[in-house]
Amino acid sequence: MKIKNICCIGAGYVGGPTMTVIAQKNPHIVVNVVDMNADKIRAWNSQNLDDLPVYEPGLSKVVNEARGRNLFFSTSIDKHIDEADMIFMSVNTPTKTSGEGMGYAADLKYIEACAKQIAKVSKSDKIIVEKSTVPVRTSEKIKEILSLYNNEVNFQILSNPEFLAEGTAMRDLETPDRVIIGGDNTAEGKMAIECLAKIYSAWVPKENILTTNLWSSELSKLTANAFLAQRISSINSLSELCEETGADIEEVSMAIGMDKRIGSSFLKTSVGFGGSCFQKDILNLVYIARSLGLENVSNYWEQILIINRHQRNRFSKKIINCIKENNLSNKILMLGWAFKKDTNDSRESASIYVADKLIKNKIKIDVYDPRVLESQIIFDLSEINKDFEPNMINFVNDPIIDISGYNVIGIMTEWDEFKSYNWNEIFDKIKKPAYVFDGRNILEKNEMKNIGFNYIGIGRG
Ligand code: NAD
Ligand code: UGA
């Protein structure tokens, strides 16, 4: 079977960039990315490339190359499902907020809705690809739905989880460490795997394309995220120990990471990891283990989230205590809202939790982020506090221009822009005594102290 037409359901942070690269590398395949959110599709089709709904370095250039050639964004979901030989499901799989498994299990309602829609619309055989992160054995559920609503056509299900990280999505997609394709161990299953492998082999070396059974593929994605988050919580837990002992976490992290068996990536201490996936995927893993009666296994993984919450709370408390104990003005300039640099995504960002704690302690917040919109910040805070009012936070467009009213600056995201500020000049203008709470350890501790700031990093004594 030769794939000529792809449909991807879900034009979000994964569907958009992933399909853009697939279309760029396979100009002979028509790729339609569909979404029920008409505003998002309008933004993907915007002539002004600054208005794309996802900000990723390098993305707009590739969208510009492929869009209108063989890459299309549309709300005509049924039409493009019907035309496609291969359909990616790239919809959100958030944590359930009600019903069985509430607060832990993944909510598969969007996946189930896609499966139903595909079944109802399809008139020809199709390969269905799970791109979303799903609990192990979700493919079974998809198969059941497809055959319940349509037993006329043949559906092959593949699992092809995505490992891109936001902010580096284009690089991750161009040169992935590996592409995993899980499928059935039948002749049709193998053929479907081959079809998808062929699409990736347009730019990914064969040895980096790993084929597995469906459930291994599904579980590998959840556990890869859990391993990554585990390293961050491990280093973050040690940051508190450093503060108590006078060790410096940056030095400890370097010393640990130089051991090749351990490796240096994902050992950067922070105010806590954010993003839409680490927390939800670990909660999901905890839920799966717990529902299988594996209490020790679930407790083990849950600890990652407990440390992450603790780290955010610790950081918030330090700011609150500092303001109270030193009689500083009840105001902070927060630099950064995105959960990491180079993205406009703020889902589960540590900034939200820290800001919420500060607001509840009557500290006024002025916030600046180069990419996150004011409306998003207001949405984020309203989501965790029903009493939140938009006037409790103030969004600034140029943080430095009017810095004389603050004693305290909090760095929440590691945007390069913040590193490159002229901190000497800021010190000249800022209210004294001046405190910098560096939630990302992006500034040089000694340099900041030499300038005259009271510098409070994470795990730096
Ligand atoms: P997202 O919220 O940015 O995008 C999902 C999109 O799906 C939304 O635009 C929504 O409108 C659309 N959608 C939902 N149901 C639909 C339906 N029935 N028909 C049409 N459109 C529908 O989510 P995301 O960040 O792209 O994540 C998608 C999946 O990929 C999740 O399972 C996530 O865990 C996984 N993932 C995300 C990342 C990441 O960096 N964000 C990385 C790897 C994997
Ligand atoms: C993460 C994984 O890295 C991707 O492989 C995966 O595909 C994705 O989740 C997903 O499934 O959604 P992402 O969340 O986009 O990607 O970004 P990361 O670079 O992993 O950062 C996550 C959070 O951890 C950020 O808040 C970041 O600042 C924090 N972090 C990261 C640290 O605090 N320390 C580190 O050393 C690394």
Side-chain angles (χ1 to χ4, degrees):
M1 181 177 180
K2 199 157 182 243
I3 304 298
K4 295 197 198 86
N5 190 305
I6 288 176
C7 172
C8 171
I9 309 180
Y13 283 88
V14 168
T18 310
M19 291 303 125
T20 299
V21 173
I22 286 187
Q24 182 205 24
K25 307 291 185 188
N26 292 275
H28 56 287
I29 300 178
V30 172
V31 179
N32 287 298
V33 189
V34 298
D35 204 294
M36 58 188 180
N37 182 333
D39 287 339
K40 207 175 262 190
I41 292 297
R42 212 170 296 120
W44 277 113
N45 283 323
S46 169
Q47 284 316 303
N48 182 354
L49 291 168
D50 281 342
D51 290 344
L52 297 184
V54 171
Y55 172 72
E56 276 294 336
L59 172 65
S60 57
K61 185 170 164 277
V62 186
V63 168
N64 198 34
E65 181 187 332
R67 197 178 58 184
R69 180 190 69 189
N70 64 324
L71 173 68
F72 305 92
F73 295 92
S74 164
T75 48
S76 306
I77 303 177
D78 288 357
K79 173 176 182 283
H80 293 301
I81 288 177
D82 182 31
E83 288 170 0
D85 315 304
M86 182 177 270
I87 300 172
F88 286 79
M89 289 184 185
S90 199
V91 296
N92 29 337
T93 49
T95 304
K96 276 180 99 167
T97 52
S98 61
E100 201 191 329
M102 174 177 134
Y104 283 91
D107 192 341
L108 295 179
K109 68 178 176 215
Y110 301 107
I111 290 279
E112 287 165 6
C114 284
K116 239 188 231 178
Q117 200 161 359
I118 292 170
K120 287 187 170 164
V121 169
S122 296
K123 296 192 280 293
S124 58
D125 293 355
K126 296 188 195 302
I127 297 171
I128 312 298
V129 186
E130 284 174 352
K131 192 51 143 171
S132 301
T133 303
V134 290
V136 55
R137 298 186 83 111
T138 298
S139 46
E140 281 299 297
K141 212 175 241 175
I142 296 176
K143 272 184 203 168
E144 269 169 35
I145 296 175
L146 290 171
S147 57
L148 184 69
Y149 289 91
N150 187 337
N151 51 22
E152 305 281 296
V153 307
N154 185 282
F155 294 108
Q156 281 303 313
I157 319 288
L158 298 178
S159 157
N160 172 224
E162 184 49 59
F163 294 95
L164 68 80
E166 289 178 31
T168 54
M170 297 309 278
R171 193 184 69 204
D172 299 338
L173 287 166
E174 294 264 348
T175 51
D177 288 348
R178 79 306 205 185
V179 167
I180 300 183
I181 305 176
D184 276 338
N185 193 14
T186 57
E188 295 93 332
K190 286 181 187 156
M191 196 200 68
I193 292 176
E194 228 171 79
C195 286
L196 184 53
K198 192 153 184 284
I199 291 170
Y200 281 108
S201 65
W203 79 99
V204 180
K206 279 217 159 53
E207 56 278 17
N208 291 11
I209 302 176
L210 178 68
T211 59
T212 67
N213 79 29
L214 272 166
W215 304 330
S216 308
S217 174
E218 291 171 335
L219 189 59
S220 303
K221 171 62 198 179
L222 276 191
T223 44
N225 271 1
F227 264 65
L228 290 168
Q230 178 198 44
R231 285 174 68 96
I232 305 170
S233 276
S234 295
I235 206 74
N236 280 345
S237 75
L238 294 178
S239 69
E240 192 172 13
L241 197 57
C242 284
E243 285 164 23
E244 294 299 320
T245 58
D248 186 315
I249 195 68
E250 295 292 314
E251 293 171 357
V252 173
S253 171
M254 164 98 69
I256 297 172
M258 282 173 79
D259 186 326
K260 284 199 188 70
R261 294 168 303 176
I262 298 173
S264 60
S265 50
F266 272 71
L267 287 183
K268 178 90 184 131
T269 195
S270 66
V271 52
F273 59 75
S276 62
C277 294
F278 279 172
Q279 174 170 299
K280 91 168 161 63
D281 291 348
I282 293 168
L283 285 169
N284 189 1
L285 189 64
V286 167
Y287 177 74
I288 294 169
R290 205 159 273 157
S291 23
L292 294 168
L294 310 177
E295 202 54 31
N296 288 326
V297 176
S298 65
N299 290 346
Y300 173 76
W301 290 107
E302 192 159 25
Q303 200 58 35
I304 296 173
L305 298 175
I306 293 171
I307 288 290
N308 201 47
R309 271 196 297 274
H310 175 63
Q311 190 76 344
R312 296 189 305 234
N313 287 340
R314 234 161 59 67
F315 190 74
S316 317
K317 270 192 209 143
K318 275 191 196 190
I319 298 175
I320 295 163
N321 291 345
C322 171
I323 291 178
K324 286 192 179 146
E325 283 162 13
N326 298 295
N327 275 325
L328 306 178
S329 39
N330 238 10
K331 202 170 163 186
I332 183 172
L333 171 64
M334 277 180 81
L335 295 178
W337 194 261
F339 80 99
K340 63 186 286 198
K341 72 171 181 175
D342 290 339
T343 177
N344 60 345
D345 193 350
S346 61
R347 289 178 289 182
E348 286 302 323
S349 177
S351 305
I352 305 171
Y353 294 93
V354 172
D356 182 54
K357 279 253 163 6
L358 299 188
I359 288 170
K360 285 177 178 154
N361 278 273
K362 310 226 169 341
I363 295 168
K364 267 195 82 239
I365 300 177
D366 285 356
V367 60
Y368 166 74
D369 188 281
R371 289 281 168 186
V372 182
L373 300 176
E374 183 175 5
S375 53
Q376 182 63 44
I377 296 177
I378 289 170
F379 172 83
D380 291 340
L381 288 168
S382 323
E383 283 284 287
I384 58 163
N385 176 6
K386 63 175 175 31
D387 298 323
F388 174 76
E389 309 260 353
N391 63 9
M392 291 172 172
I393 195 147
N394 180 39
F395 187 83
V396 292
N397 284 318
D398 186 341
I400 306 306
I401 214 156
D402 195 14
I403 199 119
S404 60
Y406 312 103
N407 287 117
V408 184
I409 298 177
I411 299 176
M412 305 305 299
T413 312
E414 70 281 22
W415 286 101
D416 291 341
E417 178 179 325
F418 305 153
K419 283 187 225 172
S420 68
Y421 282 171
N422 185 336
W423 287 94
N424 278 301
E425 234 170 67
I426 294 177
F427 187 73
D428 284 346
K429 293 188 193 153
I430 198 170
K431 199 166 177 180
K432 316 288 182 313
Y435 288 79
V436 169
F437 285 84
D438 187 353
R440 298 282 170 170
N441 286 0
I442 62 169
L443 303 177
E444 279 303 319
K445 173 172 80 173
N446 292 334
E447 230 169 78
M448 293 304 285
K449 288 195 166 164
N450 287 342
I451 293 174
F453 281 106
N454 294 291
Y455 175 83
I456 300 99
I458 301 231
R460 287 172 138 182

